[in-house]
Each structure stands twice: as structure tokens, then as C-alpha cells.
């Protein structure tokens, strides 16, 4: 990829510093001097940590997980919402329109810039002698996981529907080198192999040093040793990497490994240790500070201190009407089959002017650290993966109902495999609103018809081609 030459100098890397404040709140801040000499930056542990923090910061930009790869564009593609203005072209899968072409080009470039910066960190970890064993394991482990995480989402968006017939089709480059060079478009299966290799290497490193294994989320400041090893939910920690690997294996259609890893995560974080417990109803519907993101059960979250701005401009009742995305009230009632389900209770109606707005309060600010969570991997997905991969219909039903019970929803009776598929599809719709996962579920299943959130009933037809975003203009131009 010739454009990678633009990011060769580490001066393009966003550099973050971990800051903390009282009441167990925590955030990443980023400082961007114009040019930072590479040798100076990686001459000590602080520089390595800052470089890695910078990657975490940049991934929550509006272009990626701070808006469009979670609540915005990708969820519009999933047909969650009624839309107007610029989002109509996304909802109709009109990828040739100038607006989507420009956006997807910018997302592609941001992903590969993050990957290039992560490659520099990985390379320096492998050649330095300034890091302790623990710091090297954590920084290198997280770096490898981030590289895999970014490539996987690029593949899910731009790559083919993965199956035996399509896995040999060319998809995206896998950039795991430091020196800028034109990299080939790889078959989808080769990209998956590289992702699995990076995640497997990451797990081995994190297993040796990640405090999440013995102390869980560690959501308290460490005034003695500093906070780099605290707040493990906001990093690709050991359990998050294992969960991501389960997600990748399921995409590959390897249900044996996907189910095994999902079951391991469930056992390790909820059975053997209560490190990532399901949120309680009392916490979720607290009248003062409701935890509508279910923070305790998030394995990996972005930390975005501009999330409130996203809510106000995109989802909230005071968003400009022609830019707002909103789900029909009847559709929400259909989607949640039990009115006691506190995922449904997150919806509200507010009078605006002479009318009213029905909207999701999932990301509505509550003036606590919860306002900064962007859920990226959560425990409930492991239950769904384990259920989908289970050889026993009884076991699969039990896994799904475990999540439903945690949401105050009644148990389902699932009679056969078709009913299981429908139950899982509906649970993905309920669980991942605003998290950018439903479109990829539909793509993995190659569903020809999906519910249309703009209407109380009815569906949208989706062709196989609509699930594949075309290669972006800037990449094509580099290959001509």
C-alpha cells in the first residue's frame, strides 16, 4: 500500500497520556506535538506507553468507533433506523454515491494509519531493551491484538461474505510490516489466518503478565505504580482478546474453536471469577445514574469523552431533525418481546416543539464516567456464540436464557434449529443497538431480508452485494 509512506514517521502517531481523577474515574488524554523523534519516544517505558495510548485514543474518533463504526453508519446499514439527509444513501446501500465513497475512504485510511502506527510499536518492542518483561508483554500483546482488531473490522466491512466459496476471493491487505510498501490484496482466508496468528501471539504474552487474570477489571487508580495496568476494560486485555478470537473463529465458520473459546471466557470471567458480572436491574434502571451500557460486563470498551456530543447530534431528541437517526416506536416494541426487559426500558419519548421524539437513551449522558464508555466486546456475545456453536439445543437455549434472565426478560422455549436461529437473530438486535455488530451478524448469515427499523413492521431486502463495501478510491488509485 503506497499510501502508507505518509505514516512512516512516528511523528504521525498520536501520543496519549493516561490521566486519572477521583471517584474511580479514568480517561485517556492525547497530546500531539508536531514532530516527535522516534528514537526519543521509544527510549523509555513512558514513551512506549504513550504511543500505545495514542492508538486507543485515535480509534474513538468519529470516523471509527466514536460514532460511525458503532452508532452511526454501520448501524444504519443494519437497518436499525429511520433516517434522512446524508444517511439515506447508506440505508439504501448506495455505495457509489459521493457521501459514502468519501466516508468509507476516510475510514479505510484511518484504519491503516492506526495499523501502521501499531506496527511501529510492535517493531520497537521486539528490538528494545528498555522495557521490563511485564511491560513488554502488555505493550506487545495489546499491540498485536489491536492490529488484529483493526484488520478484522476492515475485513468484515470490505471483504466478501465468508464461506467456502468466497474465502479465496481477494479482500484487503494485511499490513504487518514497518517499512512502507505496496502490499497485495489477500484472499479472505489469508487475512483471517494472519488475524488468528496475531491474536494467538497476543494471548500468550498477556497470559504471562496481564493483571486482569488475577484482579479483574482493576477499575481503581494505582497511586503507587501508576495507572497503565489499571482500567483493563479500556484495553485489549487477555479476556477481551480471547473473546475477539472467538468472534473471528465464528466468522471463519469454525464453530468448534469459536464455541470452545466463548465457553472459556464465560467460565473464566463469570463462573471461576466474578470479574465481569452481568449488570443488575437496580444498576441499569437507577433513577439517578442508570448504567444503560451495562458497564460491568464489557470486556473491551473505547473511552470517548466526546460520546455525549455524538448522542446529542445523532440519536438524542434534540438532534437536528434531518440528521437524527431514530427507531420507530412500534419496531422497538416488536424487537423487545418482554416489556420488563430493561433494554426496552432504555427507550423514551420526549416532547420537542409541537411534536414528540421516540429515542434510545442507551448513550444519554448521566454525568458519570459511564458517559465515556463505547462498548466494543461484551460478555453476552460469548453466550450467543456458545449457543450458536452448541451441539445441544437444550444447552443453546440455556445460554440464551441466561442473558435474557440477566435482562429481566422471560425464558424462551426453543423447539428446533430454525427457532434457535430466529432467537439468536432477535437477541443480536436487542443487545447490540448502537454498538455496530448487527450488520456483521446479518452479513455472516447472508440474510436476504432484515427488519426495517423505520417502520413498525416490514423488512428490507438485502442482496449479497449490499453486504460488501467496495474497495475505496484512494486504494484503487494506488494500484493503477
Amino acid at each position: 500500500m503506497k499510501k502508507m509512506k505518509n505514516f512512516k514517521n512516528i511523528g504521525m502517531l498520536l501520543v496519549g497520556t493516561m490521566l486519572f481523577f477521583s471517584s474511580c474515574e479514568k480517561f485517556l488524554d492525547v497530546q500531539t506535538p508536531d514532530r516527535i523523534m522516534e528514537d526519543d519516544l521509544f527510549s523509555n517505558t513512558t514513551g512506549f506507553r504513550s504511543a500505545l495510548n495514542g492508538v486507543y485514543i485515535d480509534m474513538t474518533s468519529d470516523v471509527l468507533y466514536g460514532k460511525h463504526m458503532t452508532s452511526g453508519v454501520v448501524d444504519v446499514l443494519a437497518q436499525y433506523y429511520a433516517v434522512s439527509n446524508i444517511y439515506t444513501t447508506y440505508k439504501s446501500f448506495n455505495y457509489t454515491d459521493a457521501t459514502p465513497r468519501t466516508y468509507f475512504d476516510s475510514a479505510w485510511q484511518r484504519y491503516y494509519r492506526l495499523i501502521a502506527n501499531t506496527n511501529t510499536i510492535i517493531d520497537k518492542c521486539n528490538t528494545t531493551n528498555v522495557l521490563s518483561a511485564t511491560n513488554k508483554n502488555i505493550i506487545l500483546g495489546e499491540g498485536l491484538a489491536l492490529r488484529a482488531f483493526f484488520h478484522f473490522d476492515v475485513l468484515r466491512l470490505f471483504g466478501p461474505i465468508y464461506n467456502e466459496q468466497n474465502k479465496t476471493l481477494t479482500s484487503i491487505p494485511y499490513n504487518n510490516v514497518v517499512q512502507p510498501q505496496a502490499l497485495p490484496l489477500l484472499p479472505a482466508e489469508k487475512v483471517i489466518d494472519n488475524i488468528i496468528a496475531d491474536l494467538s501471539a497476543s494471548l500468550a504474552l498477556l497470559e504471562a503478565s496481564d493483571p486482569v487474570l488475577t484482579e479483574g477489571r482493576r477499575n481503581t487508580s494505582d497511586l503507587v505504580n501508576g495507572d497503565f495496568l489499571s482500567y483493563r476494560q479500556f484495553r485489549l486485555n487477555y479476556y477481551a482478546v480471547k473473546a475477539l478470537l472467538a468472534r473471528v473463529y465464528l466468522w471463519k465458520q469454525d464453530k468448534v474453536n469459536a464455541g470452545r473459546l466463548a465457553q472459556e471466557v464465560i467460565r473464566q470471567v463469570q463462573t471461576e471469577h466474578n470479574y465481569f458480572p452481568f449488570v443488575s436491574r437496580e444498576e441499569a434502571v437507577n433513577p439517578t445514574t442508570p448504567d444503560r451500557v451495562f458497564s460491568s460486563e464489557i470486556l473491551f470498551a473505547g473511552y470517548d469523552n466526546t460520546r455525549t456530543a455524538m448522542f446529542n447530534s445523532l440519536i438524542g431528541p434534540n438532534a437536528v431533525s434531518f440528521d437524527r437517526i431514530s427507531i420507530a416506536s412500534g419496531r422497538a416494541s416488536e424487537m423487545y418481546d418482554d416489556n420488563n426487559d430493561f433494554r426496552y426500558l432504555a427507550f423514551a419519548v420526549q416532547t420537542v416543539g409541537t411534536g414528540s421524539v421516540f429515542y434510545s437513551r442507551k448513550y444519554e449522558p448521566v454525568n458519570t464516567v459511564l458517559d465515556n464508555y463505547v462498548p466494543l466486546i461484551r460478555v453476552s456475545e460469548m453466550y450467543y456464540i456458545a449457543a450458536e456453536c452448541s451441539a445441544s439445543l437444550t444447552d443453546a437455549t440455556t445460554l440464551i436464557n441466561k442473558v435474557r434472565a440477566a435482562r429481566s426478560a422471560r425464558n424462551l422455549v426453543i423447539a428446533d434449529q430454525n427457532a434457535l436461529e430466529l432467537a439468536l437473530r432477535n437477541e443480536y438486535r436487542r443487545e447490540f443497538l448502537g454498538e455496530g455488530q448487527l450488520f456483521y451478524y446479518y452479513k455472516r448469515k447472508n440474510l436476504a431480508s432484515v427488519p426495517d427499523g423505520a417502520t413498525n413492521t416490514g423488512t428490507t431486502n438485502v442482496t449479497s452485494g449490499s453486504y460488501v463495501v467496495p474497495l475505496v478510491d484512494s486504494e484503487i488509485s494506488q494500484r493503477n
Side-chain angles (χ1 to χ4, degrees), residues 4 13 51-61 64-66 69 107-119 121-122 142-159 172-175 191 195 198-199 236 244 247-248 300 302 376-377 440:
M4 283 300 178
L13 186 71
L52 184 62
N53 291 346
V55 174
Y56 282 109
I57 286 292
D58 202 17
M59 68 183 286
T60 59
S61 67
L64 299 183
Y65 303 101
M69 285 296 159
W108 176 283
Q109 293 190 57
R110 182 64 65 93
Y111 269 124
Y112 278 102
R113 186 177 85 183
L114 285 169
I115 290 166
N117 292 337
T118 305
N119 282 341
I121 297 170
I122 292 169
E142 290 183 22
L144 289 166
L146 283 165
R147 181 167 74 187
F149 181 87
F150 298 141
H151 277 107
F152 185 54
D153 274 2
V154 175
L155 179 68
R156 290 201 293 178
L157 193 59
F158 296 94
I172 66 169
Y174 201 89
N175 182 21
V191 176
I195 291 168
D198 273 349
L199 291 177
L236 270 169
L244 176 58
R247 181 188 285 178
V248 171
F300 176 45
L376 297 174
I377 306 174
Y440 299 127

Side-chain angles (χ1 to χ4, degrees), residues 161-194:
I161 296 170
Y162 197 96
N163 54 37
E164 283 299 311
Q165 180 181 353
N166 293 342
K167 68 182 184 180
T168 57
L169 297 178
T170 56
S171 58
I172 66 169
Y174 201 89
N175 182 21
N176 54 8
V177 297
V178 176
Q179 296 301 321
Q181 55 188 273
L183 297 171
L185 297 175
L186 297 178
E189 64 178 340
K190 295 297 184 184
V191 176
I192 286 288
D193 288 345
N194 279 309

Side-chain angles (χ1 to χ4, degrees), residues 20 69 84 137 178 224 253 265 291 309 319 329 371 391 416 445 467:
F20 63 88
M69 285 296 159
S84 58
N137 287 340
V178 176
V224 176
Q253 300 184 334
V265 173
D291 184 357
S329 59
D371 294 348
D416 54 32
K445 295 293 185 177
Y467 285 119

Side-chain angles (χ1 to χ4, degrees), residues 207-247:
E207 187 174 23
S209 299
D210 195 339
V212 77
L213 289 160
T214 54
E215 300 176 60
R217 289 172 286 160
R218 218 167 182 254
N219 282 354
T220 55
S221 291
D222 187 339
L223 299 179
V224 176
N225 301 307
D227 283 333
F228 183 72
L229 296 180
S230 296
Y231 304 96
R232 298 303 294 160
Q233 280 181 296
F234 297 113
R235 327 283 298 199
L236 270 169
N237 63 75
Y238 175 84
Y239 297 123
V241 174
K242 182 174 283 191
L244 176 58
L245 189 54
R247 181 188 285 178

